[in-house]
Each structure stands twice: as C-alpha cells, then as structure tokens.
Amino acid sequence: VSGCTPPAEPKAVIALNTSGSLSSGTSIGGLGVTLNLPDSVTVKTDASGNVDSGVVATSGVAAGQATVITLYTGPSGTVTAKLHIVLASGSAGMSVGEFAKITCSVRTGGTPTASDFSLSEFSPVDTNGAAIPSLTAGLSTVAP
C-alpha cells in the first residue's frame, strides 16, 4: 500500500563490557572476543558476507576512539553463529567498562534474552601488547 512503512525487522542490541581491575598505569590497548549467537539470531552482512558497518558500534570506554574488525561465521549443523570482534583502542588505551553495542537481527517469533548469548575467546591486551589476565568479559541485553 502506498505510503505505508514496512514493519521494522526484529532486533536485539547486546552491550559488551570488561570487568576486573587494571594495574596502576595500565590501560586496555585492544581485545578480541567472540559473541556466540542463539539459533534465532544473526547479524546483517553485505553481499560479500562482510559484517554490515552498523552492526558493531563502539560505546562507553571505547566510544569514538577504537577501531573494530569483525568476522561473522554463520550457523552450520549443530554449531551456532558467531560474531568475532577485534577492537584496537587509540594510543591512550581505555579503561574497564562497556566497550561495544552489537545490533543483531532476530528471526520473527524469536525472543532472545541475554542468557541466550555467550562470550568466548576473550583476550585483552595492554597498550604494550601484554595479556591482561585480571579482566573478564560480560554482556547484557540493552533492547529486545
């Protein structure tokens, strides 16, 4: 019908964060993490399979001062979809806290909650490239 707007695609927004403590004078120079997606969830990709530029946005401690590289692996058999994220901060580094928001597409009828998502392969490093074992990664649902 002319003038009608199609219904918005169902989506979920997931916030990723770090927690723990940093040694005095240490800041996060970068990190890698994998977001494991539930069955009803994917992320938007272009025709070449690259993650759409609007999927991962830096936020909180990384807002506007970090570069993000992403790789999406679609579901296959019993293996669920995964979004691999590498984030490199500016030379000053970043502190502990929220660092990214991920906008996921949800299949019609799907109602994922934060507990349906999980994180793996978390590897934070300081501005000198040394591992920071005292940090952990977490996630929360920002919007259904």
Side-chain angles (χ1 to χ4, degrees):
V1 175
S2 178
C4 290
T5 305
E9 176 183 89
K11 48 183 148 174
V13 179
I14 304 300
L16 302 182
N17 63 71
T18 55
S19 60
S21 59
L22 292 170
S23 301
S24 178
T26 301
S27 58
I28 302 167
L31 58 85
V33 67
T34 298
L35 176 63
N36 303 297
L37 306 172
D39 288 340
S40 62
V41 177
T42 60
V43 296
K44 198 173 193 178
T45 57
D46 64 19
S48 302
N50 297 315
V51 176
D52 187 83
S53 62
V55 169
V56 179
T58 57
S59 61
V61 298
Q65 64 97 31
T67 301
V68 178
I69 300 168
T70 55
L71 173 66
Y72 175 68
T73 306
S76 177
T78 59
V79 178
T80 61
K82 298 177 183 305
L83 179 63
H84 309 278
I85 302 162
V86 174
L87 187 142
S89 70
S91 59
M94 60 188 169
S95 58
V96 172
E98 181 181 301
F99 62 85
K101 287 188 179 167
I102 318 299
T103 301
C104 303
S105 302
V106 178
R107 184 173 54 236
T108 302
T111 54
T113 64
S115 63
D116 295 325
F117 295 82
S118 65
L119 296 175
S120 59
E121 302 169 7
F122 179 60
S123 54
V125 295
D126 66 19
T127 53
N128 295 316
I132 308 173
S134 60
L135 297 183
T136 58
L139 62 87
S140 61
T141 305
V142 175

